[in-house]
């Protein structure tokens, strides 16, 4: 049986390519560290010039938000798996035939917390995102109200992380899901989440956009 992609398919052109190049830049800066000090003034000048060139194309914030939410399909701007977001780790998630979500990601030095290992906050972000995707793919678009994360083993930087998530059920307006991060057969992180439906009136009110930013 086939699996379906649950995150945006990266493109080799346009903003996706710019975001990917920026990730490579961040990785290079993180790995180089103070070794760039001797060339820092020239690097900063080049980066400032490039930033000004890009900023000349940028609309105001409300317009950009509205444009983002007009896009069909998975969010290309999400901070986890968003192909247009240079801050996003390159996460890809698939929906398995049983409805669960599975994915992989390799995190570089920019995501380090303890020496040589991935920051716990990054692991929590991966879990929160995957659990939300599992709920959405089960038909329950929802936002997080509670996330319980347990850390069982440290994740080395540069290792291939397997992400697993599943929808566990609905109780009224609340939706629940759970999952884990693994390296091979080793379970490193487990998580369970409680979410509230996006179509609930109180949730919609909290996330209502100003009239000027409506899609």
């Amino acid at each position: 049986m086939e699996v379906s992609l649950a995150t945006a398919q990266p493109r080799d052109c346009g903003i996706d390519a710019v975001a990917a190049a920026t990730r490579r830049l961040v990785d290079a800066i993180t790995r180089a560290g103070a070794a760039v000090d001797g060339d820092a003034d020239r690097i900063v000048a080049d980066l400032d010039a490039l930033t000004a060139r890009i900023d000349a194309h940028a609309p105001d914030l409300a317009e950009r938000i509205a444009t983002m939410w007009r896009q069909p399909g998975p969010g290309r701007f999400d901070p986890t798996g968003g192909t247009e977001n240079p801050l996003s780790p390159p996460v890809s998630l698939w929906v398995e035939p049983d409805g669960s979500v599975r994915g992989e990601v390799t995190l570089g030095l920019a995501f380090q917390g303890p020496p040589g290992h991935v920051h716990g906050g990054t692991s929590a972000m991966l879990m929160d995102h995957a659990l939300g995707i599992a709920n959405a793919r089960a038909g329950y678009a929802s936002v997080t109200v509670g996330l319980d994360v347990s850390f069982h083993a440290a994740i080395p930087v540069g290792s291939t992380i397997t992400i697993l998530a599943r929808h566990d059920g609905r109780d009224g307006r609340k939706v629940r899901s759970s999952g884990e991060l693994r390296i091979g057969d080793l379970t490193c992180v487990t998580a369970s989440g409680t979410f509230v439906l996006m179509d609930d009136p109180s949730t919609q009110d909290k996330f209502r956009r100003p009239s000027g930013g409506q899609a």
Side-chain angles (χ1 to χ4, degrees):
M1 297 181 68
E2 294 185 356
V3 296
S4 60
L5 192 64
T7 47
Q9 177 68 46
R11 298 171 294 199
D12 295 328
C13 60
I15 182 59
D16 285 25
V18 173
T22 306
R23 293 186 199 103
R24 293 193 295 273
L25 173 64
V26 170
D27 182 66
I29 292 172
T30 307
R31 288 185 293 105
V36 304
D37 283 359
D39 200 24
D41 289 346
R42 188 172 65 175
I43 292 172
V44 169
D46 289 345
L47 291 175
D48 282 345
L50 184 57
T51 298
R53 179 179 170 187
I54 295 171
D55 196 48
H57 298 279
D60 63 35
L61 182 61
E63 181 181 347
R64 177 58 178 142
I65 291 173
T67 301
M68 286 176 169
W69 287 102
R70 291 192 192 106
Q71 296 180 3
R76 308 189 71 88
F77 47 84
D78 198 284
T80 312
T83 58
E84 295 182 5
N85 190 334
L87 297 180
S88 171
V91 178
S92 292
L93 296 174
W94 295 267
V95 180
E96 298 286 348
D98 64 0
S100 65
V101 170
R102 184 184 184 93
E104 285 189 349
V105 65
T106 301
L107 300 176
L109 198 57
F111 298 97
Q112 179 182 236
H117 293 83
V118 173
H119 195 291
T122 300
S123 296
M125 180 178 70
L126 293 175
M127 285 277 71
D128 180 54
H129 183 68
L131 299 187
I133 293 292
N135 288 331
R137 285 295 173 147
Y140 302 108
S142 52
V143 293
T144 314
V145 294
L147 185 66
D148 184 11
V149 183
S150 296
F151 301 93
H152 307 281
I155 299 175
V157 167
S159 57
T160 299
I161 303 167
T162 299
I163 306 167
L164 301 170
R166 65 201 69 83
H167 167 71
D168 292 330
R170 174 185 173 186
D171 180 15
R173 61 193 290 263
K174 291 187 177 181
V175 183
R176 304 186 188 280
S177 51
S178 59
E180 57 264 5
L181 302 180
R182 295 179 182 172
I183 299 177
D185 294 330
L186 176 65
T187 298
C188 300
V189 179
T190 56
S192 58
T194 302
F195 300 74
V196 65
L197 293 171
M198 282 293 292
D199 60 7
D200 181 86
S202 64
T203 306
Q204 290 180 339
D205 186 62
K206 290 178 183 177
F207 289 93
R208 197 177 306 280
R209 295 192 294 273
S211 57
Q214 291 287 343

